[in-house]
Amino acid sequence: MTRSSYIFMDFDGVTHPWGEVEDFRCLPLIESVLREFDEARVVIASDWRMLFSLSKLVLRFSEDIRPRIAGATPHILPKKGADLHGMREREAMAWLSQHEADVDSAPWCALDDAPGNWLTRSRLVLTDFKRGFIEEDAEALRRMLNGFRNGVPPVARPRSGLDWG
């Protein structure tokens, strides 16, 4: 049996363009990629997890994908402003430490439109907040999940024009 891989997923700027109608218009494309990888599990890492119950958030997904929503990351309160940089990744690692025996080798990636949320850029599929998740992002997610499936560690693949330094 293939080991589960985890996708820590933001909503605003990923499932729909940020600042527009929250219609989850990009979710069908994300789900189409998930259907290619039975081992992939989604962990909600969006601020929506603080506004809505997990059961309400799960209902946003198609019926066949709902059982693959593994939960939501815990909310960690920053002690100072500088703590916000990489906060989503720290929350994701806290979630992984509760669900995986070996966090260091756990196959995980993130779908987010805010690069400052994630320090491990090689595991980030960065969406454009104005567009949400598009076919280019679907290809990047497929590469990431195929790499996990084949035991290949992720390598940063920056989009043109983005600073990955």
Side-chain angles (χ1 to χ4, degrees):
M1 182 174 168
T2 306
R3 181 178 185 187
S4 291
S5 57
Y6 301 99
I7 303 166
F8 292 95
M9 192 168 88
D10 184 27
F11 286 170
D12 296 316
V14 176
T15 60
H16 48 268
W18 188 87
E20 291 189 23
V21 177
E22 297 166 343
D23 58 6
F24 286 67
R25 71 185 84 160
C26 304
L27 189 55
L29 181 56
I30 296 168
E31 291 178 334
S32 72
V33 175
L34 289 173
R35 288 183 182 99
E36 298 172 33
F37 298 90
D38 291 337
E39 69 275 15
R41 302 292 177 261
V42 172
V43 180
I44 297 167
S46 168
D47 286 341
W48 285 53
R49 72 194 192 284
M50 294 177 286
L51 302 171
F52 301 98
S53 67
L54 182 60
S55 58
K56 281 200 185 286
L57 295 174
V58 168
L59 291 175
R60 293 280 184 174
F61 293 83
S62 297
E63 195 170 331
D64 65 315
I65 299 295
R66 291 175 190 163
R68 295 171 51 194
I69 310 305
T73 56
H75 178 60
I76 299 173
L77 292 173
K79 293 183 173 78
K80 55 189 182 296
D83 291 344
L84 291 173
H85 187 68
M87 181 61 76
R88 288 254 172 101
E89 185 168 333
R90 285 191 293 283
E91 292 170 339
M93 295 307 99
W95 187 91
L96 269 178
S97 70
Q98 296 172 351
H99 296 87
E100 279 287 315
D102 184 5
V103 175
D104 293 333
S105 72
W108 68 270
C109 65
L111 294 180
D112 206 320
D113 64 317
N117 287 331
W118 304 90
L119 300 176
T120 308
R121 299 289 172 84
S122 62
R123 293 181 183 256
L124 174 62
V125 175
L126 182 64
T127 63
D128 180 337
F129 75 95
K130 295 177 189 172
R131 297 184 297 181
F133 190 87
I134 60 172
E135 190 57 48
E136 177 182 342
D137 305 317
E139 286 305 313
L141 182 57
R142 281 185 188 98
R143 283 192 305 269
M144 187 85 66
L145 294 173
N146 265 320
F148 293 150
R149 187 180 271 174
N150 297 320
V152 178
V155 176
R157 290 184 177 90
R159 285 184 175 177
S160 60
L162 292 179
D163 177 15
W164 285 75

